[in-house]
Amino acid sequence: MRITLLRDKHIVLGVTGSIAAFKAADLASKLTQAGAQVDVILTEGAQRFVTPLTFSALTGRAVHTDMWATDGDADGHIAHVRLGENAEGLLIAPASAHTIAKLAHGLADNLLTLTALAARCPLLLAPAMDGGMYDHPATQANLQTLVERGATLIEPDEGRFASGLGGRGRLPETPALLGHVRRALGRSGALAGRQVVVTAGGTREALDPVRHLGNRSSGKQGHALAQAALDAGAGVTLISSARGLPTPVGATRVAVDTAQEMLEATLAAARGADALIMAAAVADFRPAQRQTQKLRKREHGEGLQLDLEPTADVLLALAEERSRQGRPRYLVGFAAESEQLLQRGAEKLARKKLDLVVANDISAADAGFGVDDNRVVLLAPGRAPEELPLMSKIAVAELVLARVARELVQSL
Ligand code: CTP
């Protein structure tokens, strides 16, 4: 999957001697697929577990192992100088206890530790080690030193090791590692220092202890918006009712179920926010009474009438909040329409006093609910509607966030 933030970025991936070295092959592959130029450095220990060929085949680039090698250019630079100079991110995954100790003390006895000293880019460390090595005071002290110097520590997962022992020390899975790389590279993006609140998913309104009224929203578009905001450097709160979707690395997630919970969480999170992007499909009505006992078929053989009452409109509440407090500065709403897309979208833009409405036609089979693509029209006050072609929800998210960033800069 291509990731705009990673396109053509020079990433150095250092792999050290740990059984988790085999997992780094998947990471190198995913980084390459995302569009990055991945230069892999294998330490001697790493080569006991994996071979340079594994990584050169996956990245399509030479793999580096020798600290004395020149890089073949006319000026005969030693490899680590060029690798370090060019790197926009240096990720060591897995990082062994020994390499961590060397880095903490500035030792430079192999190509990886030399490159780490020469590099001026963000350094990310994903420790992976067996038994109690991670918790050992020596490892912890070394990591603390490195974090104080600006390195990002990617905490290992808990679980079972190859040795059969359990504890903290497993290398996180590739999506988590990728998320950390994105976070580090996005830090200086157009939304650096800004706070963005995103809502996602369809709300669920309880009818009785086992049933609820819900809708078909998957939350994919909202989660993609949160990731795009993170990629642009924003601090992100993701208020989501989508249960199956992972939280993008770096986002603070607030899990909600009902429209009322969505309202409370959004009011609290958006208080000091720069932008609110309301992608959630919030129920407009909820059962007037939540039955405390399960509704029984036999007791409603004739059919069941449900009394519904309106829920609060979250966006409207936030628009009022903005007119009082001036925040959130920028409000984005979504309009899911089955007919008269442009008219209804424009009507929502005006009625909810929004800066942008992302309108989509939910009657189309290839876009919208549940699928990975969306076809949207962007509506903003005083501007002609901007009809976008069918594209991935990720691409829609990036376009929306680029717009938010532009407008926030202009409004200052
Ligand atoms: N929304 C909200 N709170 C609600 C309902 C909707 O904040 N209780 C938000 C949605 O997140 C979306 C926008 O309002 O960003 C448009 O939602 P929609 O339900 O389409 O708008 P309504 O005003 O309810 O209009 P209608 O039902 O007539 O289509």
Side-chain angles (χ1 to χ4, degrees), residues 26-352:
D26 183 49
L27 176 63
S29 168
K30 294 295 185 321
L31 281 167
T32 305
Q33 287 173 40
Q37 302 197 3
V38 187
D39 283 311
V40 176
I41 301 177
L42 299 182
T43 64
E44 226 177 287
Q47 291 173 71
R48 301 275 178 140
F49 295 97
V50 287
T51 71
L53 185 62
T54 315
F55 289 90
S56 59
L58 291 169
T59 61
R61 296 169 72 83
V63 168
H64 309 273
T65 54
D66 179 3
M67 68 189 269
W68 303 115
T70 57
D71 57 12
D73 277 9
D75 58 8
H77 263 308
I78 294 216
H80 68 266
V81 177
R82 179 84 76 211
L83 283 170
E85 267 175 12
N86 286 350
E88 288 160 276
L90 168 54
L91 166 64
I92 306 185
S96 66
H98 190 54
T99 292
I100 289 167
K102 287 196 282 186
L103 292 174
H105 292 90
L107 296 183
D109 65 341
N110 64 19
L111 183 59
L112 179 58
T113 48
L114 271 168
T115 304
L117 280 187
R120 292 292 165 264
C121 63
L123 168 65
L124 297 98
L125 299 166
M129 54 201 74
D130 207 331
M133 292 168 73
Y134 182 71
D135 291 324
H136 193 285
T139 306
Q140 287 300 314
N142 289 332
L143 283 169
Q144 195 181 334
T145 301
L146 290 163
V147 167
E148 278 164 10
R149 252 183 240 151
T152 297
L153 168 64
I154 305 174
E155 294 269 3
D157 291 343
E158 294 237 11
R160 186 190 160 279
F161 300 118
S163 64
L165 295 171
R168 268 198 311 172
R170 286 175 59 84
L171 188 69
E173 298 303 320
T174 302
L177 297 173
L178 267 179
H180 282 282
V181 174
R182 293 173 85 154
R183 193 79 189 119
L185 294 187
R187 208 150 271 156
S188 51
L191 286 171
R194 309 285 187 161
Q195 292 300 319
V196 175
V197 178
V198 180
T199 68
T203 55
R204 285 173 288 269
E205 305 296 334
L207 191 55
D208 70 11
V210 292
R211 301 180 180 93
H212 63 248
L213 299 184
N215 61 64
R216 290 178 53 209
S217 168
S218 64
K220 284 182 181 174
Q221 184 64 77
H223 280 240
L225 286 157
Q227 179 67 67
L230 289 161
D231 283 357
V236 174
T237 304
L238 173 60
I239 301 170
S240 177
S241 57
R243 290 195 180 143
L245 296 181
T247 308
V249 170
T252 303
R253 181 164 182 168
V254 183
V256 295
D257 263 326
T258 65
Q260 185 59 29
E261 289 168 4
M262 183 76 76
L263 172 71
E264 286 163 19
T266 309
L267 275 173
R271 204 148 279 147
D274 294 287
L276 167 66
I277 305 177
M278 198 70 211
V282 187
D284 288 326
F285 297 95
R286 65 174 166 230
Q289 268 160 4
R290 181 184 188 274
Q291 306 296 325
T292 49
Q293 303 300 330
K294 190 181 157 195
L295 287 164
R296 304 241 150 239
K297 186 165 52 195
R298 253 166 294 141
E299 288 160 22
H300 300 280
E302 307 289 289
L304 179 62
Q305 298 281 329
L306 285 183
D307 267 340
L308 302 179
E309 64 182 12
T311 57
D313 191 303
V314 182
L315 257 182
L316 219 44
L318 266 296
E320 278 158 22
E321 183 77 3
R322 170 167 70 169
S323 59
R324 281 195 298 271
Q325 315 283 347
R327 291 220 174 208
R329 266 201 271 272
Y330 197 81
L331 286 176
V332 183
F334 274 67
E337 306 293 351
S338 53
E339 54 180 355
Q340 297 182 308
L341 181 68
L342 294 184
Q343 297 89 313
R344 299 227 163 131
E347 182 271 322
K348 269 167 206 171
L349 183 71
R351 183 165 47 86
K352 299 196 181 189

